[in-house]
């Protein structure tokens, strides 16, 4: 009974519209008035050409529902009348939509207008779906008219979409402004984007747009995707958000720079740029990029692959600029002092890659993940190249000029301090070297005797040792060349001890170095003091001379004179020589004293016994045993003696 009553009421409304409406357009206007007055009088029900009503999907239904309204029954008679009804619906929607698209004010400035416009768009999409239905005779002019109306809707929706993005307040990641920027004046703030407070915690996500704006953007995106304008929507989103991302990166003190400009930057200035880059890359990839991913997934929820497409469009240019800086630095000169900043950059990307595996895994963003990995590999190759350059630097160092006094050579000091500092990042350097071995196709050894890094460092040490030995040949005096070898080799051992460098080289290497120092110490004693001690031996004094006091004294006096000359010459010359290591200097003096003093003490005793019970001996003895010891203890001080 209720259904019959409603049908009679609808029939009465139809009759009124038909009677009062002198034209078909006027009749449609009257039906529109009834439709807005009472929800029971929807256009679908009031249309006399549709015997059975059909509901369009609600405005908040999924896009698929918006473009696929339910197909109602009614037989051939209903299908024959449907084109007339669809034409009337198109005219009605044209009037409704034209009112919105021709408005100078933003539709989304009024929530009711926005809802009404979206409802009209949904009706238009449903109507176009009906026109495309195989059960409806093709009416190309009507379909073209509907498509033109849809095009106007999409252009206006895109305009509204951009406006919502532009007017929504966003938080730009920044670091504290430098004092130098305080003098920029108020004019610099005219176009200022709101800036978020600096952060120390990278485990956070920024809500760059308010929830209401996100909901509005999602509603528009659904309609545009349903209408086949997903690419246009994604492009509009990408352009707007790209500006936000670029501004955020700029506030971190980073700007796009061509590779030649980066490589021409003086190294001290570039070091500062790298320090900013390290901090900026972490903030960009750990805060900004995840926040943009989350926002894209909310705006384009259930609309794959547009969420990933817009995310890549918004973030990839700024991220590519960050990575191009890393590539430019990696392609720069292989100067050894650059390794420390390169390690910082390498470690930054290494730590970021696991965080990006899930974030950059879809169709469009996976390319960015590959670019991060490529920059990471480029930095690793640059680090390996620096080790090769260090080796070449050692080889090219000339062996012409001798270091005064056989002291420590600058190349030894530089290389050892450099390796000691570099190997503080042992874990990272081992990763870098192992990557090279893996890239070369070397099968992994489950129990390798040594790492690729330890082999590289050991090779550099061999090159340095060979270089030092070649430089030792510059000295004309063999004893001084041994002093030079001991100084430099002992320094190498000292710098390698108790640090990661020593752990890489191993205990056997340190023992071999100590053994070489000991051997050269013996060689020094042999070439300097053997002849001195030989003078003090009594083997040359004949038994006859020994039994004759006068002959014996004369022979001993001659030997004592030669000894004194030797001692004075050695003292005068070798006091200017240098033994840089305190313990080594003490060890050498002790060894010399142990060799010379007992022989000299024995010699003086024999002289005293021979020279008339020692009365004449004091006339011949210039240096006491204590004096000789004092002279020995003045050796290797680097002080000129007159």
């Amino acid at each position: 009974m209720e259904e019959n009553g409603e049908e009679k009421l609808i029939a009465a409304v139809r009759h009124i519209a038909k009677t009062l409406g002198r034209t078909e357009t006027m009749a449609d206007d009257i039906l529109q008035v009834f439709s807005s007055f009472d929800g029971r009088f929807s256009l679908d029900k009031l249309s006399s050409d549709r015997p059975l009503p059909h509901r369009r999907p609600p405005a908040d239904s999924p896009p698929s529902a918006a473009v696929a309204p339910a197909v109602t029954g009614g037989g051939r008679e209903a299908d024959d009348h449907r084109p007339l009804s669809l034409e009337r619906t198109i005219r009605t929607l044209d009037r409704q939509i034209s009112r919105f698209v021709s408005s100078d004010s933003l539709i989304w400035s009024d929530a009711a207008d926005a809802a009404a416009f979206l409802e009209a768009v949904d009706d238009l999409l449903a109507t176009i779906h009906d026109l495309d239905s195989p059960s409806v005779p093709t009416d190309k002019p009507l379909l073209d008219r509907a498509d033109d109306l849809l095009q106007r809707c999409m252009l206006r929706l895109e305009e509204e979409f951009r406006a919502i993005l532009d007017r929504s307040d966003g938080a730009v990641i920044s670091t504290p402004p430098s004092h130098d920027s305080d003098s920029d004046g108020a004019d610099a703030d005219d176009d200022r984007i709101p800036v978020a407070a600096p952060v120390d915690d990278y485990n956070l996500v920024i809500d760059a747009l308010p929830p209401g704006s996100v909901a509005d953007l999602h509603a528009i995106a659904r309609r545009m995707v349903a209408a086949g304008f997903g690419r246009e929507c994604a492009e509009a989103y990408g352009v707007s958000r790209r500006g936000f991302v670029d501004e955020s990166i700029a506030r971190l003190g980073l700007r796009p720079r061509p590779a030649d400009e980066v490589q021409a930057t003086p190294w001290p200035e570039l070091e500062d740029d790298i320090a900013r880059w390290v901090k900026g890359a972490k903030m960009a990839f750990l805060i900004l990029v995840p926040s943009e991913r989350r926002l894209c997934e909310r705006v384009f929820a259930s609309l794959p692959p547009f969420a990933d497409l817009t995310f890549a469009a918004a973030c990839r240019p700024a991220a590519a600029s960050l990575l191009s800086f890393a590539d430019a630095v990696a392609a720069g000169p292989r100067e050894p002092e650059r390794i420390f900043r390169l390690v910082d950059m390498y470690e930054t990307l290494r730590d970021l890659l696991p965080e990006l595996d899930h974030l950059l895994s879809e169709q469009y963003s996976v390319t960015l993940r590959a670019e991060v990995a490529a920059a990471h590999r480029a930095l690793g190759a640059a680090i390996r190249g620096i080790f090769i350059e260090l080796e070449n630097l050692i080889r090219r160092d000339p062996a012409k000029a001798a270091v005064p006094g056989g002291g420590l050579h600058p190349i030894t000091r530089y290389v050892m301090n450099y390796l000691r500092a570099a190997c503080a990042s042992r874990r990272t350097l081992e990763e870098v070297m192992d990557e090279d071995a893996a890239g070369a196709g070397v099968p992994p050894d489950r129990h390798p005797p040594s790492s690729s890094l330890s082999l590289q460092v050991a090779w550099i040490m061999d090159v340095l040792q060979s270089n030092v030995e070649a430089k030792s040949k510059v000295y004309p005096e063999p004893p001084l060349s041994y002093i030079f070898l001991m100084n430099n080799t002992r320094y190498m051992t000292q710098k390698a001890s108790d640090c990661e460098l020593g752990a890489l080289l191993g205990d056997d290497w340190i023992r071999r170095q100590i053994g070489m120092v000991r051997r050269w110490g013996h060689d020094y004693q042999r070439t300097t003091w053997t002849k001195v001690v030989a003078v003090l031996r009594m083997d040359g004094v004949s038994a006859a001379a020994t039994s004759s006091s006068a002959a014996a004294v004369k022979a001993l006096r001659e030997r004592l004179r030669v000894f004194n000359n030797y001692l004075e010459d050695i003292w005068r010359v070798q006091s200017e020589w240098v033994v840089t290591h305190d313990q080594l200097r003490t060890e050498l003096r002790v060894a010399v004293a142990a060799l010379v003093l007992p022989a000299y003490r024995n010699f003086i005793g024999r002289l005293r016994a021979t020279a008339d019970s020692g009365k004449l001996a004091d006339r011949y003895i210039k240096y006491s045993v204590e004096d000789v010891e004092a002279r020995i203890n003045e050796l290797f001080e680097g002080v000129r003696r007159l």
Side-chain angles (χ1 to χ4, degrees), residues 556-591:
L556 292 174
R557 283 176 56 191
E558 179 59 24
R559 287 174 178 258
L560 184 59
R561 184 187 64 78
V562 174
F563 172 82
N564 290 340
N565 290 337
Y566 280 158
L567 179 64
E568 290 169 357
D569 289 342
I570 292 172
W571 173 76
R572 185 176 59 256
V573 172
Q574 297 192 12
S575 292
E576 296 185 37
W577 294 2
V578 178
V579 175
T580 56
H581 193 274
D582 292 341
Q583 183 179 348
L584 177 60
R585 185 167 59 248
T586 300
E587 290 173 355
L588 278 176
R589 289 169 176 172
V590 169

Side-chain angles (χ1 to χ4, degrees), residues 24 40 51 70 180 302 365 367 439 468 511 611 621:
E24 188 174 359
R40 293 174 296 175
D180 295 338
S302 304
S365 58
T367 303
V468 167
R511 281 194 292 268
I621 299 174

Side-chain angles (χ1 to χ4, degrees), residues 272-463:
D272 295 336
D273 293 339
I274 291 174
R276 282 192 295 271
W277 182 92
V278 168
K279 185 175 182 179
K282 291 178 181 178
M283 296 186 74
F285 285 105
L286 295 179
I287 298 178
L288 183 59
V289 170
S291 297
E292 286 300 312
R293 165 64 83 181
R294 179 172 178 265
L295 181 61
C296 289
E297 290 177 348
R298 292 169 64 198
V299 172
F300 294 90
S302 304
L303 298 174
F306 294 102
D308 189 53
L309 175 62
T310 54
F311 168 70
C315 294
R316 189 167 181 269
S321 177
L322 282 173
L323 297 175
S324 68
F325 178 84
D327 289 333
V329 173
R334 298 292 195 260
E335 296 168 352
E337 62 268 19
R338 294 181 175 232
I339 195 171
F340 304 102
R341 300 288 79 80
L342 286 174
V343 166
D344 291 342
M345 299 178 75
Y346 178 91
E347 290 176 340
T348 297
L349 294 185
R350 177 198 67 193
D351 296 341
L352 287 175
L353 280 170
E355 303 292 334
L356 300 178
D357 284 340
H358 175 69
L359 195 66
L360 307 177
S361 60
E362 299 184 27
Q363 178 182 358
Y364 297 100
S365 58
V366 70
T367 303
L368 181 55
R369 167 63 172 77
E371 290 173 352
V372 175
H376 177 253
R377 289 193 299 271
L379 290 168
I383 293 172
R384 291 190 294 272
I386 285 177
F387 273 93
I388 296 174
E389 179 58 28
L390 177 64
E391 176 187 330
N392 293 333
L393 183 149
I394 299 170
R395 293 182 187 277
R396 291 194 301 265
D397 192 65
K400 297 179 180 179
V403 177
L408 186 63
H409 197 281
I411 192 67
T412 306
R413 187 191 307 275
Y414 173 80
V415 172
M416 294 310 301
N417 284 300
Y418 178 85
L419 288 177
R420 184 181 176 94
C423 289
S425 301
R426 174 183 175 182
R427 174 175 170 266
T428 297
L429 294 178
E430 285 180 335
E431 289 179 11
V432 170
M433 297 301 173
D434 290 343
E435 283 178 2
D436 186 43
V442 178
D445 190 343
R446 296 183 60 185
H447 303 288
S450 56
S451 68
S452 299
L453 177 62
S454 63
L455 293 175
Q456 179 70 55
V457 171
W459 175 251
I460 291 176
M461 296 304 299
D462 285 345
V463 173

Side-chain angles (χ1 to χ4, degrees), residues 87-330:
E87 183 178 2
R88 185 176 294 113
T89 301
I90 291 295
R91 287 199 303 271
T92 302
L93 290 173
D94 194 351
R95 288 192 298 275
Q96 293 176 347
I97 290 171
S98 296
R99 179 172 65 86
F100 289 111
V101 298
S102 62
S103 174
D104 292 333
S105 60
L106 292 174
I107 300 173
W108 258 258
S109 60
D110 184 280
D113 286 347
F117 185 52
L118 287 178
E119 185 176 358
V121 172
D122 286 342
D123 285 339
L124 179 59
L125 289 170
T127 302
I128 292 175
H129 181 272
D130 284 347
L131 285 172
D132 279 338
S133 174
S135 61
V136 177
T138 302
D139 188 340
K140 190 174 185 306
L142 185 59
L143 187 58
D144 289 344
R145 180 180 176 185
D147 286 340
D148 179 68
L149 184 58
L150 182 64
Q151 179 81 18
R152 292 164 58 198
C153 288
M154 294 301 109
L155 290 174
R156 186 54 190 254
L157 280 178
E158 183 178 340
E159 179 182 341
E160 297 287 329
F161 192 82
R162 293 179 187 274
I164 295 172
L165 285 168
D166 292 342
R167 77 165 185 255
S168 297
D169 292 336
V172 179
I173 300 175
S174 72
T175 54
S178 64
H179 296 294
D180 295 338
S181 64
D182 293 342
S183 59
D184 292 344
D187 294 339
D189 294 333
D190 290 343
D191 300 324
R192 185 175 181 181
I193 297 176
V195 178
V199 295
D200 296 322
D201 181 11
Y202 295 111
N203 296 317
L204 59 87
V205 176
I206 294 177
D207 288 323
L209 297 177
S213 296
V214 173
D216 291 339
L217 292 171
H218 175 62
I220 294 175
R222 286 178 53 204
R223 272 70 180 189
M224 294 188 71
V225 171
F229 287 78
R231 285 272 179 180
E232 290 78 1
C233 181
E235 181 180 352
Y237 181 93
V239 169
S240 177
R241 296 306 298 171
R242 187 183 310 151
F244 170 85
V245 174
D246 291 345
E247 180 69 18
S248 298
I249 297 297
R251 293 295 177 90
L252 298 175
L254 305 173
R255 62 178 179 85
R257 299 167 65 184
D260 55 353
E261 178 185 334
V262 173
Q263 293 169 6
T265 303
W267 178 242
E269 182 180 337
L270 191 58
E271 278 192 294
D272 295 336
D273 293 339
I274 291 174
R276 282 192 295 271
W277 182 92
V278 168
K279 185 175 182 179
K282 291 178 181 178
M283 296 186 74
F285 285 105
L286 295 179
I287 298 178
L288 183 59
V289 170
S291 297
E292 286 300 312
R293 165 64 83 181
R294 179 172 178 265
L295 181 61
C296 289
E297 290 177 348
R298 292 169 64 198
V299 172
F300 294 90
S302 304
L303 298 174
F306 294 102
D308 189 53
L309 175 62
T310 54
F311 168 70
C315 294
R316 189 167 181 269
S321 177
L322 282 173
L323 297 175
S324 68
F325 178 84
D327 289 333
V329 173

